[in-house]
Short mmCIF file of all heavy atoms in Angstrom, two decimals:
data_model
loop_
_atom_site.label_atom_id
_atom_site.label_comp_id
_atom_site.label_asym_id
_atom_site.label_seq_id
_atom_site.Cartn_x
_atom_site.Cartn_y
_atom_site.Cartn_z
N MET A 1264 -35.60 130.34 -29.50
CA MET A 1264 -34.50 129.48 -29.96
C MET A 1264 -33.40 130.32 -30.60
O MET A 1264 -33.67 131.11 -31.49
CB MET A 1264 -35.06 128.44 -30.95
CG MET A 1264 -34.00 127.61 -31.66
SD MET A 1264 -33.00 126.60 -30.56
CE MET A 1264 -34.10 125.22 -30.26
N PHE A 1265 -32.21 130.15 -30.13
CA PHE A 1265 -31.07 130.79 -30.76
C PHE A 1265 -30.44 129.80 -31.73
O PHE A 1265 -30.57 128.59 -31.58
CB PHE A 1265 -30.01 131.16 -29.71
CG PHE A 1265 -30.45 132.24 -28.78
CD1 PHE A 1265 -31.04 131.92 -27.57
CD2 PHE A 1265 -30.26 133.57 -29.10
CE1 PHE A 1265 -31.45 132.91 -26.69
CE2 PHE A 1265 -30.65 134.57 -28.23
CZ PHE A 1265 -31.25 134.25 -27.02
N TYR A 1266 -29.78 130.31 -32.73
CA TYR A 1266 -29.01 129.42 -33.60
C TYR A 1266 -27.79 130.15 -34.09
O TYR A 1266 -27.68 131.37 -34.01
CB TYR A 1266 -29.86 128.92 -34.77
CG TYR A 1266 -30.51 130.03 -35.58
CD1 TYR A 1266 -29.80 130.71 -36.55
CD2 TYR A 1266 -31.84 130.39 -35.34
CE1 TYR A 1266 -30.39 131.73 -37.28
CE2 TYR A 1266 -32.42 131.41 -36.06
CZ TYR A 1266 -31.70 132.08 -37.04
OH TYR A 1266 -32.28 133.09 -37.75
N ILE A 1267 -26.83 129.39 -34.56
CA ILE A 1267 -25.63 129.97 -35.13
C ILE A 1267 -25.70 129.82 -36.64
O ILE A 1267 -26.41 128.95 -37.14
CB ILE A 1267 -24.34 129.30 -34.59
CG1 ILE A 1267 -24.39 127.79 -34.82
CG2 ILE A 1267 -24.17 129.62 -33.11
CD1 ILE A 1267 -23.12 127.09 -34.43
N LYS A 1268 -25.00 130.67 -37.37
CA LYS A 1268 -24.97 130.56 -38.81
C LYS A 1268 -23.56 130.22 -39.25
O LYS A 1268 -22.59 130.83 -38.81
CB LYS A 1268 -25.39 131.89 -39.45
CG LYS A 1268 -26.88 132.08 -39.51
CD LYS A 1268 -27.21 133.34 -40.29
CE LYS A 1268 -28.66 133.34 -40.73
NZ LYS A 1268 -28.94 134.53 -41.56
N VAL A 1269 -23.48 129.21 -40.09
CA VAL A 1269 -22.19 128.85 -40.69
C VAL A 1269 -22.36 129.07 -42.17
O VAL A 1269 -23.06 128.33 -42.84
CB VAL A 1269 -21.83 127.38 -40.38
CG1 VAL A 1269 -20.49 127.02 -41.00
CG2 VAL A 1269 -21.83 127.14 -38.87
N GLY A 1270 -21.76 130.13 -42.70
CA GLY A 1270 -22.06 130.52 -44.07
C GLY A 1270 -23.53 130.94 -44.11
O GLY A 1270 -23.95 131.77 -43.32
N LYS A 1271 -24.32 130.31 -44.96
CA LYS A 1271 -25.74 130.63 -45.01
C LYS A 1271 -26.59 129.59 -44.31
O LYS A 1271 -27.81 129.64 -44.32
CB LYS A 1271 -26.20 130.76 -46.48
CG LYS A 1271 -25.64 132.01 -47.14
CD LYS A 1271 -26.18 132.16 -48.55
CE LYS A 1271 -25.68 133.47 -49.14
NZ LYS A 1271 -26.12 133.65 -50.54
N ARG A 1272 -25.92 128.60 -43.74
CA ARG A 1272 -26.67 127.53 -43.10
C ARG A 1272 -26.89 127.82 -41.62
O ARG A 1272 -25.99 128.33 -40.94
CB ARG A 1272 -25.90 126.21 -43.24
CG ARG A 1272 -25.63 125.88 -44.69
CD ARG A 1272 -24.98 124.55 -44.81
NE ARG A 1272 -25.86 123.48 -44.34
CZ ARG A 1272 -25.59 122.19 -44.50
NH1 ARG A 1272 -24.47 121.82 -45.08
NH2 ARG A 1272 -26.42 121.27 -44.08
N LYS A 1273 -28.08 127.51 -41.17
CA LYS A 1273 -28.38 127.68 -39.75
C LYS A 1273 -28.09 126.38 -39.02
O LYS A 1273 -28.38 125.31 -39.52
CB LYS A 1273 -29.86 128.03 -39.55
CG LYS A 1273 -30.23 129.39 -40.05
CD LYS A 1273 -31.72 129.59 -39.85
CE LYS A 1273 -32.18 130.85 -40.58
NZ LYS A 1273 -33.64 130.95 -40.59
N ARG A 1274 -27.51 126.53 -37.85
CA ARG A 1274 -27.28 125.35 -37.01
C ARG A 1274 -27.89 125.64 -35.66
O ARG A 1274 -27.60 126.67 -35.05
CB ARG A 1274 -25.77 125.12 -36.83
CG ARG A 1274 -25.03 124.81 -38.10
CD ARG A 1274 -25.10 123.33 -38.42
NE ARG A 1274 -24.59 123.06 -39.76
CZ ARG A 1274 -23.30 122.93 -40.06
NH1 ARG A 1274 -22.40 123.04 -39.10
NH2 ARG A 1274 -22.91 122.72 -41.28
N ASN A 1275 -28.72 124.75 -35.20
CA ASN A 1275 -29.27 124.92 -33.86
C ASN A 1275 -28.17 124.78 -32.83
O ASN A 1275 -27.26 123.99 -32.99
CB ASN A 1275 -30.34 123.87 -33.57
CG ASN A 1275 -31.63 124.14 -34.33
OD1 ASN A 1275 -31.91 125.28 -34.70
ND2 ASN A 1275 -32.39 123.10 -34.57
N ILE A 1276 -28.27 125.58 -31.80
CA ILE A 1276 -27.35 125.42 -30.68
C ILE A 1276 -27.89 124.31 -29.80
O ILE A 1276 -29.02 124.37 -29.34
CB ILE A 1276 -27.23 126.73 -29.87
CG1 ILE A 1276 -26.60 127.82 -30.72
CG2 ILE A 1276 -26.41 126.49 -28.60
CD1 ILE A 1276 -26.58 129.18 -30.03
N ARG A 1277 -27.11 123.30 -29.64
CA ARG A 1277 -27.54 122.20 -28.79
C ARG A 1277 -26.53 122.04 -27.66
O ARG A 1277 -25.49 122.71 -27.64
CB ARG A 1277 -27.62 120.89 -29.58
CG ARG A 1277 -28.57 120.97 -30.78
CD ARG A 1277 -28.88 119.57 -31.27
NE ARG A 1277 -27.67 118.77 -31.35
CZ ARG A 1277 -27.03 118.49 -32.49
NH1 ARG A 1277 -27.46 118.96 -33.62
NH2 ARG A 1277 -25.95 117.75 -32.46
N GLU A 1278 -26.88 121.18 -26.74
CA GLU A 1278 -25.97 121.01 -25.61
C GLU A 1278 -24.66 120.34 -26.01
O GLU A 1278 -23.70 120.39 -25.26
CB GLU A 1278 -26.64 120.25 -24.46
CG GLU A 1278 -27.02 118.82 -24.77
CD GLU A 1278 -28.40 118.69 -25.39
OE1 GLU A 1278 -28.98 119.71 -25.83
OE2 GLU A 1278 -28.90 117.57 -25.43
N ASP A 1279 -24.65 119.74 -27.21
CA ASP A 1279 -23.45 119.00 -27.58
C ASP A 1279 -22.64 119.64 -28.70
O ASP A 1279 -21.73 119.04 -29.23
CB ASP A 1279 -23.80 117.55 -27.94
CG ASP A 1279 -24.71 117.49 -29.17
OD1 ASP A 1279 -25.23 118.54 -29.58
OD2 ASP A 1279 -24.88 116.39 -29.70
N ASN A 1280 -22.99 120.89 -29.09
CA ASN A 1280 -22.17 121.48 -30.15
C ASN A 1280 -21.65 122.87 -29.80
O ASN A 1280 -21.28 123.63 -30.66
CB ASN A 1280 -22.93 121.49 -31.48
CG ASN A 1280 -24.11 122.45 -31.50
OD1 ASN A 1280 -24.40 123.11 -30.50
ND2 ASN A 1280 -24.76 122.56 -32.63
N VAL A 1281 -21.65 123.18 -28.52
CA VAL A 1281 -21.08 124.45 -28.07
C VAL A 1281 -19.82 124.13 -27.27
O VAL A 1281 -19.87 123.32 -26.34
CB VAL A 1281 -22.08 125.23 -27.19
CG1 VAL A 1281 -21.45 126.54 -26.73
CG2 VAL A 1281 -23.36 125.50 -27.96
N TYR A 1282 -18.73 124.75 -27.68
CA TYR A 1282 -17.46 124.44 -27.04
C TYR A 1282 -16.82 125.69 -26.49
O TYR A 1282 -17.07 126.80 -26.95
CB TYR A 1282 -16.50 123.80 -28.06
CG TYR A 1282 -16.91 122.41 -28.45
CD1 TYR A 1282 -17.87 122.21 -29.43
CD2 TYR A 1282 -16.36 121.31 -27.80
CE1 TYR A 1282 -18.28 120.93 -29.78
CE2 TYR A 1282 -16.76 120.03 -28.15
CZ TYR A 1282 -17.72 119.85 -29.14
OH TYR A 1282 -18.11 118.60 -29.46
N THR A 1283 -15.99 125.50 -25.50
CA THR A 1283 -15.20 126.60 -24.98
C THR A 1283 -13.84 126.05 -24.59
O THR A 1283 -13.59 124.85 -24.70
CB THR A 1283 -15.90 127.23 -23.75
OG1 THR A 1283 -15.21 128.44 -23.40
CG2 THR A 1283 -15.89 126.30 -22.55
N ARG A 1284 -12.96 126.96 -24.18
CA ARG A 1284 -11.66 126.50 -23.69
C ARG A 1284 -11.59 126.72 -22.20
O ARG A 1284 -12.01 127.76 -21.69
CB ARG A 1284 -10.52 127.27 -24.38
CG ARG A 1284 -10.23 126.75 -25.75
CD ARG A 1284 -8.96 127.33 -26.31
NE ARG A 1284 -8.84 127.01 -27.73
CZ ARG A 1284 -8.40 125.83 -28.18
NH1 ARG A 1284 -8.04 124.90 -27.34
NH2 ARG A 1284 -8.34 125.61 -29.46
N CYS A 1285 -11.04 125.74 -21.53
CA CYS A 1285 -10.86 125.84 -20.09
C CYS A 1285 -9.86 126.96 -19.79
O CYS A 1285 -8.77 126.98 -20.37
CB CYS A 1285 -10.34 124.50 -19.56
SG CYS A 1285 -9.88 124.54 -17.83
N PRO A 1286 -10.22 127.91 -18.90
CA PRO A 1286 -9.30 129.01 -18.58
C PRO A 1286 -8.07 128.54 -17.81
O PRO A 1286 -7.10 129.26 -17.71
CB PRO A 1286 -10.16 129.96 -17.75
CG PRO A 1286 -11.29 129.15 -17.25
CD PRO A 1286 -11.50 128.03 -18.23
N GLU A 1287 -8.12 127.34 -17.27
CA GLU A 1287 -7.01 126.80 -16.48
C GLU A 1287 -5.99 126.09 -17.38
O GLU A 1287 -4.83 126.45 -17.42
CB GLU A 1287 -7.55 125.84 -15.42
CG GLU A 1287 -6.50 125.26 -14.50
CD GLU A 1287 -6.23 126.13 -13.29
OE1 GLU A 1287 -7.04 127.04 -13.02
OE2 GLU A 1287 -5.21 125.91 -12.62
N CYS A 1288 -6.43 125.08 -18.11
CA CYS A 1288 -5.49 124.27 -18.89
C CYS A 1288 -5.60 124.51 -20.39
O CYS A 1288 -4.78 124.01 -21.15
CB CYS A 1288 -5.71 122.79 -18.57
SG CYS A 1288 -7.30 122.15 -19.14
N GLY A 1289 -6.60 125.28 -20.81
CA GLY A 1289 -6.72 125.62 -22.23
C GLY A 1289 -7.32 124.53 -23.08
O GLY A 1289 -7.40 124.66 -24.30
N ARG A 1290 -7.75 123.45 -22.47
CA ARG A 1290 -8.33 122.35 -23.23
C ARG A 1290 -9.72 122.73 -23.74
O ARG A 1290 -10.50 123.36 -23.04
CB ARG A 1290 -8.42 121.12 -22.32
CG ARG A 1290 -8.81 119.85 -23.06
CD ARG A 1290 -9.04 118.71 -22.09
NE ARG A 1290 -7.87 118.49 -21.24
CZ ARG A 1290 -7.91 117.81 -20.10
NH1 ARG A 1290 -9.03 117.30 -19.66
NH2 ARG A 1290 -6.81 117.65 -19.39
N GLU A 1291 -10.00 122.34 -24.99
CA GLU A 1291 -11.32 122.58 -25.55
C GLU A 1291 -12.28 121.53 -25.03
O GLU A 1291 -11.96 120.35 -24.99
CB GLU A 1291 -11.25 122.49 -27.08
CG GLU A 1291 -12.54 122.89 -27.76
CD GLU A 1291 -12.42 122.75 -29.26
OE1 GLU A 1291 -12.45 121.61 -29.74
OE2 GLU A 1291 -12.29 123.77 -29.93
N HIS A 1292 -13.45 121.97 -24.61
CA HIS A 1292 -14.43 121.01 -24.13
C HIS A 1292 -15.84 121.52 -24.37
O HIS A 1292 -16.06 122.72 -24.54
CB HIS A 1292 -14.20 120.70 -22.64
CG HIS A 1292 -14.40 121.89 -21.73
ND1 HIS A 1292 -15.53 122.06 -20.99
CD2 HIS A 1292 -13.61 122.95 -21.48
CE1 HIS A 1292 -15.43 123.20 -20.30
NE2 HIS A 1292 -14.28 123.76 -20.57
N ALA A 1293 -16.78 120.59 -24.43
CA ALA A 1293 -18.18 120.95 -24.65
C ALA A 1293 -18.72 121.62 -23.39
O ALA A 1293 -18.32 121.30 -22.28
CB ALA A 1293 -18.99 119.70 -24.96
N VAL A 1294 -19.60 122.59 -23.60
CA VAL A 1294 -20.18 123.30 -22.47
C VAL A 1294 -21.68 123.39 -22.64
O VAL A 1294 -22.18 123.55 -23.74
CB VAL A 1294 -19.54 124.70 -22.32
CG1 VAL A 1294 -19.78 125.55 -23.56
CG2 VAL A 1294 -20.06 125.42 -21.09
N ASP A 1295 -22.39 123.20 -21.57
CA ASP A 1295 -23.84 123.32 -21.58
C ASP A 1295 -24.20 124.76 -21.27
O ASP A 1295 -24.03 125.24 -20.14
CB ASP A 1295 -24.42 122.37 -20.53
CG ASP A 1295 -25.95 122.35 -20.57
OD1 ASP A 1295 -26.55 123.32 -21.06
OD2 ASP A 1295 -26.52 121.36 -20.09
N LEU A 1296 -24.66 125.49 -22.30
CA LEU A 1296 -24.94 126.92 -22.12
C LEU A 1296 -25.98 127.19 -21.05
O LEU A 1296 -25.93 128.19 -20.36
CB LEU A 1296 -25.42 127.54 -23.44
CG LEU A 1296 -24.35 127.79 -24.50
CD1 LEU A 1296 -25.00 128.39 -25.73
CD2 LEU A 1296 -23.26 128.70 -23.97
N TRP A 1297 -26.92 126.27 -20.92
CA TRP A 1297 -27.98 126.51 -19.93
C TRP A 1297 -27.41 126.48 -18.52
O TRP A 1297 -27.84 127.23 -17.66
CB TRP A 1297 -29.10 125.51 -20.11
CG TRP A 1297 -29.49 125.37 -21.56
CD1 TRP A 1297 -29.52 124.23 -22.28
CD2 TRP A 1297 -29.82 126.44 -22.48
NE1 TRP A 1297 -29.86 124.51 -23.58
CE2 TRP A 1297 -30.05 125.85 -23.73
CE3 TRP A 1297 -29.95 127.82 -22.36
CZ2 TRP A 1297 -30.39 126.60 -24.86
CZ3 TRP A 1297 -30.29 128.56 -23.47
CH2 TRP A 1297 -30.51 127.95 -24.70
N GLU A 1298 -26.41 125.63 -18.34
CA GLU A 1298 -25.75 125.61 -17.03
C GLU A 1298 -25.03 126.92 -16.78
O GLU A 1298 -25.00 127.43 -15.67
CB GLU A 1298 -24.73 124.46 -16.96
CG GLU A 1298 -25.37 123.13 -16.62
CD GLU A 1298 -24.35 122.02 -16.46
OE1 GLU A 1298 -23.14 122.31 -16.39
OE2 GLU A 1298 -24.76 120.86 -16.43
N VAL A 1299 -24.42 127.47 -17.84
CA VAL A 1299 -23.73 128.75 -17.70
C VAL A 1299 -24.71 129.85 -17.31
O VAL A 1299 -24.49 130.62 -16.39
CB VAL A 1299 -23.00 129.14 -19.02
CG1 VAL A 1299 -22.41 130.54 -18.92
CG2 VAL A 1299 -21.91 128.12 -19.34
N PHE A 1300 -25.85 129.88 -18.00
CA PHE A 1300 -26.87 130.89 -17.71
C PHE A 1300 -27.41 130.73 -16.29
O PHE A 1300 -27.59 131.69 -15.56
CB PHE A 1300 -28.02 130.81 -18.70
CG PHE A 1300 -27.67 131.26 -20.08
CD1 PHE A 1300 -28.19 130.61 -21.18
CD2 PHE A 1300 -26.81 132.33 -20.29
CE1 PHE A 1300 -27.87 131.02 -22.47
CE2 PHE A 1300 -26.48 132.75 -21.57
CZ PHE A 1300 -27.01 132.09 -22.67
N GLU A 1301 -27.66 129.49 -15.93
CA GLU A 1301 -28.19 129.22 -14.60
C GLU A 1301 -27.23 129.68 -13.51
O GLU A 1301 -27.64 130.11 -12.44
CB GLU A 1301 -28.47 127.72 -14.43
CG GLU A 1301 -29.88 127.33 -14.87
CD GLU A 1301 -30.14 125.84 -14.72
OE1 GLU A 1301 -29.40 125.19 -13.98
OE2 GLU A 1301 -31.08 125.37 -15.35
N ALA A 1302 -25.94 129.56 -13.81
CA ALA A 1302 -24.91 129.96 -12.84
C ALA A 1302 -24.69 131.47 -12.86
O ALA A 1302 -23.87 131.99 -12.13
CB ALA A 1302 -23.61 129.22 -13.13
N GLY A 1303 -25.42 132.18 -13.72
CA GLY A 1303 -25.33 133.63 -13.77
C GLY A 1303 -24.26 134.14 -14.72
O GLY A 1303 -23.92 135.31 -14.71
N GLY A 1304 -23.72 133.26 -15.55
CA GLY A 1304 -22.71 133.68 -16.52
C GLY A 1304 -23.35 134.19 -17.79
O GLY A 1304 -24.56 134.15 -17.94
N ASP A 1305 -22.55 134.71 -18.68
CA ASP A 1305 -23.05 135.08 -19.99
C ASP A 1305 -22.04 134.66 -21.05
O ASP A 1305 -20.95 134.19 -20.73
CB ASP A 1305 -23.37 136.58 -20.07
CG ASP A 1305 -22.14 137.44 -19.90
OD1 ASP A 1305 -21.19 137.31 -20.71
OD2 ASP A 1305 -22.11 138.24 -18.95
N LEU A 1306 -22.42 134.84 -22.32
CA LEU A 1306 -21.60 134.30 -23.40
C LEU A 1306 -20.26 135.00 -23.55
O LEU A 1306 -19.35 134.46 -24.16
CB LEU A 1306 -22.37 134.43 -24.72
CG LEU A 1306 -23.61 133.55 -24.86
CD1 LEU A 1306 -24.26 133.82 -26.20
CD2 LEU A 1306 -23.24 132.08 -24.75
N TYR A 1307 -20.12 136.19 -22.99
CA TYR A 1307 -18.91 136.96 -23.24
C TYR A 1307 -17.88 136.83 -22.13
O TYR A 1307 -16.68 136.89 -22.39
CB TYR A 1307 -19.26 138.44 -23.44
CG TYR A 1307 -20.26 138.60 -24.55
CD1 TYR A 1307 -21.59 138.85 -24.28
CD2 TYR A 1307 -19.86 138.46 -25.88
CE1 TYR A 1307 -22.51 138.96 -25.30
CE2 TYR A 1307 -20.77 138.56 -26.91
CZ TYR A 1307 -22.10 138.81 -26.62
OH TYR A 1307 -23.01 138.90 -27.63
N THR A 1308 -18.36 136.66 -20.91
CA THR A 1308 -17.40 136.67 -19.80
C THR A 1308 -17.26 135.32 -19.12
O THR A 1308 -16.37 135.14 -18.32
CB THR A 1308 -17.85 137.69 -18.74
OG1 THR A 1308 -19.12 137.32 -18.24
CG2 THR A 1308 -17.91 139.09 -19.31
N ALA A 1309 -18.14 134.39 -19.46
CA ALA A 1309 -18.11 133.12 -18.73
C ALA A 1309 -16.85 132.33 -19.06
O ALA A 1309 -16.48 132.17 -20.20
CB ALA A 1309 -19.34 132.30 -19.07
N GLY A 1310 -16.20 131.87 -18.02
CA GLY A 1310 -15.09 130.95 -18.18
C GLY A 1310 -15.54 129.63 -17.60
O GLY A 1310 -15.96 129.57 -16.45
N VAL A 1311 -15.50 128.60 -18.39
CA VAL A 1311 -15.99 127.32 -17.92
C VAL A 1311 -14.82 126.34 -17.84
O VAL A 1311 -14.18 126.04 -18.84
CB VAL A 1311 -17.09 126.76 -18.85
CG1 VAL A 1311 -17.64 125.45 -18.30
CG2 VAL A 1311 -18.21 127.78 -19.00
N TYR A 1312 -14.55 125.89 -16.63
CA TYR A 1312 -13.45 124.95 -16.44
C TYR A 1312 -13.85 123.57 -16.93
O TYR A 1312 -15.02 123.18 -16.84
CB TYR A 1312 -13.08 124.88 -14.95
CG TYR A 1312 -12.45 126.16 -14.44
CD1 TYR A 1312 -13.24 127.14 -13.88
CD2 TYR A 1312 -11.08 126.36 -14.55
CE1 TYR A 1312 -12.69 128.33 -13.42
CE2 TYR A 1312 -10.51 127.54 -14.11
CZ TYR A 1312 -11.31 128.53 -13.54
OH TYR A 1312 -10.75 129.69 -13.10
N CYS A 1313 -12.88 122.82 -17.42
CA CYS A 1313 -13.15 121.45 -17.84
C CYS A 1313 -13.39 120.59 -16.60
O CYS A 1313 -13.14 121.02 -15.47
CB CYS A 1313 -11.98 120.90 -18.66
SG CYS A 1313 -10.47 120.63 -17.70
N GLU A 1314 -13.87 119.39 -16.83
CA GLU A 1314 -14.21 118.52 -15.70
C GLU A 1314 -13.02 118.30 -14.78
O GLU A 1314 -13.16 118.31 -13.56
CB GLU A 1314 -14.69 117.16 -16.22
CG GLU A 1314 -16.18 117.12 -16.47
CD GLU A 1314 -16.64 115.75 -16.92
OE1 GLU A 1314 -16.14 114.76 -16.36
OE2 GLU A 1314 -17.46 115.67 -17.84
N GLU A 1315 -11.86 118.09 -15.39
CA GLU A 1315 -10.67 117.79 -14.60
C GLU A 1315 -10.29 118.97 -13.70
O GLU A 1315 -10.03 118.79 -12.52
CB GLU A 1315 -9.51 117.48 -15.55
CG GLU A 1315 -8.47 116.56 -14.96
CD GLU A 1315 -7.47 116.14 -16.03
OE1 GLU A 1315 -7.86 115.34 -16.92
OE2 GLU A 1315 -6.34 116.63 -15.99
N CYS A 1316 -10.29 120.18 -14.26
CA CYS A 1316 -9.92 121.36 -13.48
C CYS A 1316 -11.01 121.70 -12.46
O CYS A 1316 -10.70 122.18 -11.37
CB CYS A 1316 -9.64 122.54 -14.39
SG CYS A 1316 -8.15 122.33 -15.37
N THR A 1317 -12.26 121.45 -12.80
CA THR A 1317 -13.34 121.65 -11.85
C THR A 1317 -13.12 120.77 -10.63
O THR A 1317 -13.23 121.22 -9.48
CB THR A 1317 -14.71 121.32 -12.48
OG1 THR A 1317 -14.91 122.16 -13.61
CG2 THR A 1317 -15.84 121.54 -11.48
N ALA A 1318 -12.77 119.50 -10.88
CA ALA A 1318 -12.51 118.56 -9.79
C ALA A 1318 -11.29 118.99 -8.98
O ALA A 1318 -11.29 118.95 -7.75
CB ALA A 1318 -12.31 117.16 -10.34
N LYS A 1319 -10.25 119.44 -9.70
CA LYS A 1319 -9.02 119.88 -9.04
C LYS A 1319 -9.29 121.07 -8.14
O LYS A 1319 -8.84 121.15 -6.99
CB LYS A 1319 -7.97 120.25 -10.10
CG LYS A 1319 -6.56 119.95 -9.70
CD LYS A 1319 -5.56 120.47 -10.75
CE LYS A 1319 -5.66 119.75 -12.08
NZ LYS A 1319 -4.80 120.40 -13.12
N ARG A 1320 -10.06 122.04 -8.66
CA ARG A 1320 -10.37 123.26 -7.89
C ARG A 1320 -11.24 122.92 -6.68
O ARG A 1320 -11.07 123.49 -5.61
CB ARG A 1320 -11.09 124.28 -8.79
CG ARG A 1320 -10.15 124.93 -9.79
CD ARG A 1320 -10.92 125.61 -10.89
NE ARG A 1320 -11.83 126.64 -10.38
CZ ARG A 1320 -11.46 127.88 -10.10
NH1 ARG A 1320 -10.21 128.27 -10.30
NH2 ARG A 1320 -12.32 128.75 -9.63
N ALA A 1321 -12.17 121.99 -6.85
CA ALA A 1321 -13.02 121.57 -5.74
C ALA A 1321 -12.18 120.91 -4.65
O ALA A 1321 -12.39 121.13 -3.46
CB ALA A 1321 -14.10 120.63 -6.24
N ALA A 1322 -11.20 120.10 -5.08
CA ALA A 1322 -10.35 119.40 -4.13
C ALA A 1322 -9.46 120.39 -3.36
O ALA A 1322 -9.22 120.23 -2.17
CB ALA A 1322 -9.48 118.39 -4.87
N GLU A 1323 -9.00 121.44 -4.07
CA GLU A 1323 -8.12 122.43 -3.43
C GLU A 1323 -8.87 123.25 -2.38
O GLU A 1323 -8.28 123.76 -1.44
CB GLU A 1323 -7.52 123.37 -4.49
CG GLU A 1323 -6.35 122.72 -5.22
CD GLU A 1323 -5.94 123.53 -6.47
OE1 GLU A 1323 -6.48 124.62 -6.68
OE2 GLU A 1323 -5.08 123.03 -7.19
N LYS A 1324 -10.17 123.41 -2.60
CA LYS A 1324 -10.96 124.20 -1.65
C LYS A 1324 -11.21 123.47 -0.34
O LYS A 1324 -11.48 124.08 0.67
CB LYS A 1324 -12.31 124.58 -2.28
CG LYS A 1324 -12.23 125.81 -3.17
CD LYS A 1324 -13.62 126.15 -3.67
CE LYS A 1324 -13.54 127.11 -4.86
NZ LYS A 1324 -14.82 127.18 -5.56
N LYS A 1325 -11.14 122.14 -0.43
CA LYS A 1325 -11.39 121.35 0.77
C LYS A 1325 -10.29 121.57 1.81
O LYS A 1325 -9.12 121.56 1.48
CB LYS A 1325 -11.44 119.86 0.43
CG LYS A 1325 -12.75 119.41 -0.16
CD LYS A 1325 -12.72 117.91 -0.44
CE LYS A 1325 -13.83 117.50 -1.39
NZ LYS A 1325 -13.56 116.21 -2.01
N PRO A 1326 -10.67 121.76 3.07
CA PRO A 1326 -9.65 121.88 4.11
C PRO A 1326 -8.91 120.55 4.29
O PRO A 1326 -9.53 119.51 4.34
CB PRO A 1326 -10.45 122.23 5.37
CG PRO A 1326 -11.84 121.80 5.09
CD PRO A 1326 -12.02 121.85 3.60
N SER A 1327 -7.58 120.62 4.37
CA SER A 1327 -6.82 119.39 4.46
C SER A 1327 -6.59 118.99 5.90
O SER A 1327 -6.57 119.82 6.79
CB SER A 1327 -5.47 119.53 3.75
OG SER A 1327 -4.84 120.71 4.18
ZN1 ZN B 1216 -8.96 122.43 -17.51
#
């Protein structure tokens, strides 16, 4: 189990308290770290797109 420390208090890392910024639009959003790990990312280099940009990127990849 990993946890973060805020001052002297420990906080468990849960799926609902880890946030990142979307590299596309800069919006802050919650991220599921396990999904990042499963996708082969890590805490330092992973860029996680928000739902909207993920959908937009998926749509752009589709042949028109
Ligand atoms: Zn975005």
Side-chain angles (χ1 to χ4, degrees):
M1264 172 62 79
F1265 292 93
Y1266 54 82
I1267 55 175
K1268 279 186 162 183
V1269 180
K1271 289 184 176 177
R1272 303 185 64 171
K1273 291 177 190 171
R1274 297 275 170 82
N1275 287 335
I1276 295 174
R1277 302 195 315 257
E1278 65 272 14
D1279 63 348
N1280 69 358
V1281 180
Y1282 289 84
T1283 189
R1284 281 191 191 279
C1285 173
E1287 182 88 14
C1288 67
R1290 189 187 304 162
E1291 187 181 75
H1292 64 102
V1294 61
D1295 185 337
L1296 284 180
W1297 314 125
E1298 277 184 13
V1299 174
F1300 290 143
E1301 271 179 18
D1305 64 60
L1306 292 178
Y1307 304 103
T1308 61
V1311 183
Y1312 292 92
C1313 69
E1314 271 183 41
E1315 207 172 289
C1316 291
T1317 301
K1319 213 186 294 172
R1320 287 164 59 83
E1323 281 168 6
K1324 277 184 196 165
K1325 280 182 197 161
S1327 50

